[in-house]
């Protein structure tokens, strides 16, 4: 409850598949997913999903895109709720703009507002900042942390970026390459609120080195390059 957990692993290990199963978008081949003791059967309003691509309707404004997720709410309340969450992500003045009139970072902020508007129990985020430039990505991480610290949502966050996982998370779940299994769960016991200067501390650097080592080992297994790399090292 209220925890920020990242799923990290080599390409193809099943991070996004696992997230889609939790979201109810894919069915598990075995086992079940429980949320508050109840089995997940298909998508639900208790889970908000944010994808890497912005998945906005191009013919709707930012305001209308957020309102679209609120079809179960009385019509009179949709506008107020949508406006409130656009304010949370700093886009009130762009409420009437269409996606084509917004930058990539702004479109993703609309997608986050839309997911938040559902007031979910858990936010599921699939590399939501992967398509952004480095500067915008850093700002989006800061925004997400501020929202998380304010609302204390439970977040399950898929990323391939070690630094991103450590700056955001309470725990990082490193997955083995194939078949997808939990390799190690790393506790990130860094003080909050997190600041970017923290990345220069010995504690952060040691965590980063450890997690990078795990990912590297799994990537070598996944690609089958172990023998080639060993020969190169010997030569």
């Amino acid at each position: 409850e209220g925890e920020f957990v990242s799923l990290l692993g080599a390409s193809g290990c099943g991070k996004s598949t696992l997230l889609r199963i939790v979201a109810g978008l894919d069915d598990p081949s075995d086992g079940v997913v429980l949320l508050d003791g109840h089995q997940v059967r298909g998508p639900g309003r208790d889970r908000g999903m944010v994808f890497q691509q912005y998945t906005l309707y191009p013919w709707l404004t930012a305001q209308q895109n957020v309102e679209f997720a609120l079809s179960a709410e009385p019509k009179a309340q949709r506008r107020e709720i949508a406006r409130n969450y656009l304010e949370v992500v700093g886009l009130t003045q762009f409420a009437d703009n269409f996606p084509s009139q917004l930058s990539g970072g702004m479109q993703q902020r609309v997608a986050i507002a839309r997911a938040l508007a559902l007031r979910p129990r858990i936010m599921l985020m699939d590399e939501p900042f992967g398509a952004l430039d480095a500067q915008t990505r850093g700002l989006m991480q800061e925004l997400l942390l501020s929202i998380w610290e304010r609302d204390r949502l439970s977040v399950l966050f898929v990323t391939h970026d070690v630094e991103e996982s450590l700056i955001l998370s309470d725990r990082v779940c490193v997955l083995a390459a194939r078949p997808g299994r939990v390799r190690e769960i790393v506790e990130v016991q860094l003080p909050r609120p997190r600041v970017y200067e923290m990345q220069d501390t010995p504690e952060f650097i040691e965590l980063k080195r450890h997690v990078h080592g795990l990912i590297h080992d799994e990537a070598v297994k996944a690609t089958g390059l172990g023998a080639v790399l060993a020969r190169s090292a010997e030569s």
Side-chain angles (χ1 to χ4, degrees):
E1 186 74 20
E3 190 177 23
F4 200 120
V5 176
S6 287
L7 299 176
L8 191 68
S11 180
C13 71
K15 301 183 296 294
S16 294
T17 299
L18 178 56
L19 199 73
R20 289 179 62 85
I21 290 171
V22 175
L25 299 174
D26 290 340
D27 294 324
S29 55
D30 192 19
V32 296
V33 176
L34 301 177
L35 180 59
D36 291 332
H38 301 288
Q39 185 174 345
V40 167
R41 299 182 187 276
R45 287 173 59 90
D46 53 1
R47 283 150 288 142
M49 185 80 176
V50 180
F51 299 90
Q52 180 174 351
Q53 301 303 320
Y54 313 129
T55 61
L56 301 180
Y57 296 109
W59 59 88
L60 299 180
T61 65
Q63 171 86 24
Q64 291 167 339
N65 264 283
V66 179
E67 286 186 29
F68 187 85
L70 301 169
S71 57
E73 300 287 343
K75 188 173 182 179
Q77 295 181 18
R78 293 178 200 166
R79 181 172 181 81
E80 181 181 351
I81 295 171
R83 184 70 64 158
N84 175 59
Y85 283 100
L86 285 173
E87 183 178 355
V88 168
V89 298
L91 288 177
T92 303
Q93 61 182 325
F94 297 96
D96 296 325
N97 287 53
F98 291 93
S100 62
Q101 299 171 310
L102 303 174
S103 69
M106 293 166 77
Q107 290 184 60
Q108 194 62 300
R109 282 151 66 188
V110 175
I112 292 172
R114 183 175 59 188
L116 288 171
L118 293 171
R119 286 162 284 189
R121 293 297 311 278
I122 181 170
M123 282 280 281
L124 307 171
M125 310 187 81
D126 190 4
E127 298 196 50
F129 310 141
L132 304 177
D133 63 85
Q135 184 175 3
T136 305
R137 185 181 187 127
L139 292 173
M140 292 296 292
Q141 291 167 359
E142 289 184 41
L143 172 65
L144 178 58
L145 278 176
S146 69
I147 293 170
W148 177 81
E149 287 164 359
R150 188 195 74 163
D151 295 344
R152 288 296 171 176
L153 287 169
S154 300
V155 178
L156 191 58
F157 186 96
V158 166
T159 180
H160 64 273
D161 187 294
V162 172
E163 291 83 355
E164 180 172 69
S165 72
L166 294 176
I167 203 72
L168 293 174
S169 306
D170 296 307
R171 288 189 296 161
V172 175
C173 183
V174 181
L175 299 183
R178 282 193 298 269
R181 296 289 186 270
V182 176
R183 165 74 185 267
E184 185 175 327
I185 295 177
V186 178
E187 301 283 344
V188 185
Q189 296 179 335
L190 298 171
R192 292 190 184 274
R194 304 272 170 86
V195 292
Y196 277 86
E197 290 77 10
M198 189 177 287
Q199 297 185 58
D200 298 323
T201 64
E203 295 80 6
F204 190 96
I205 292 170
E206 181 55 36
L207 275 172
K208 177 180 171 181
R209 182 183 297 115
H210 176 66
V211 175
H212 265 301
L214 295 172
I215 299 298
H216 178 267
D217 289 348
E218 294 304 324
V220 168
K221 292 177 187 176
T223 57
L225 290 175
V228 175
L229 294 174
R231 287 197 299 270
S232 297
E234 290 172 1
S235 62

